Amino acid sequence: MQLLSLHPDKTLGRSTNESTIIGHLKEAYSILLDQQLRNEYDRHLLEKAKKQGMNADGVGLDQYSLDEFTADEIKGIWSMACPRCESEGGMELNEGDLENGTTDGEFGLQLALQCQSCSLWIKVKYYMGDDEEEE
């Protein structure tokens, strides 16, 4: 659906909720632009999924090691191509993501990570060193 087709000037006389849709689009855009708001929204979605009984801890997902990711130490980002869609850098995480990992029941940490281009989820296992991540 094109945004122009929802504009109030183009929908005069129609009894639809286009102004509500435009409001939702504006709100979504402002959240995506602000990294702090985006992080809060992502946390909200994760909590909502947990309450609905969805598994967000990585059980049953294909497992990868952080060593399989390419590290950009200047930016503090680890990335790899998505195993499904092969989008370069589709799987990406940062230091904040690593700090939020959960213990894996052994000696390391893990987190569930979604491709930025498709719907694939994987489990990433890693170990926290003194101040660096390694496996």
Side-chain angles (χ1 to χ4, degrees):
M1 197 181 314
Q2 296 180 3
L3 182 58
L4 184 59
S5 68
L6 298 174
H7 193 279
D9 290 345
K10 303 290 183 186
T11 59
L12 290 175
R14 286 195 270 163
S15 60
T16 57
N17 62 351
E18 282 86 3
S19 61
T20 304
I21 294 170
I22 290 175
H24 289 304
L25 290 172
K26 286 179 179 180
E27 180 183 10
Y29 186 70
S30 67
I31 289 171
L32 291 173
L33 285 178
D34 184 317
Q35 189 62 44
Q36 183 178 357
L37 289 175
R38 186 175 189 167
N39 290 341
E40 289 175 22
Y41 182 77
D42 289 343
R43 279 191 295 278
H44 168 74
L45 285 180
L46 182 59
E47 289 303 314
K48 183 178 178 183
K50 287 180 184 177
K51 289 177 183 174
Q52 293 175 342
M54 294 180 188
N55 182 353
D57 63 3
V59 173
L61 300 178
D62 290 338
Q63 181 176 302
Y64 292 84
S65 166
L66 188 60
D67 291 337
E68 297 177 69
F69 285 67
T70 302
D72 183 334
E73 294 180 20
I74 295 172
K75 294 180 180 178
I77 294 174
W78 289 260
S79 64
M80 73 177 224
C82 174
R84 178 194 292 161
C85 71
E86 299 180 0
S87 171
E88 193 62 38
M91 298 290 182
E92 183 177 285
L93 47 89
N94 60 41
E95 291 176 3
D97 297 325
L98 295 174
E99 291 171 2
N100 292 323
T102 59
T103 58
D104 66 1
E106 297 173 9
F107 300 105
L109 298 169
Q110 67 183 13
L111 57 85
L113 181 65
Q114 185 179 25
C115 176
Q116 297 177 30
S117 298
C118 72
S119 61
L120 179 68
W121 283 85
I122 64 170
K123 182 187 334 182
V124 181
K125 292 187 66 131
Y126 58 99
Y127 297 91
M128 296 292 281
D130 291 331
D131 242 0
E132 61 187 71
E133 295 73 41
E134 59 190 13
E135 175 154 340

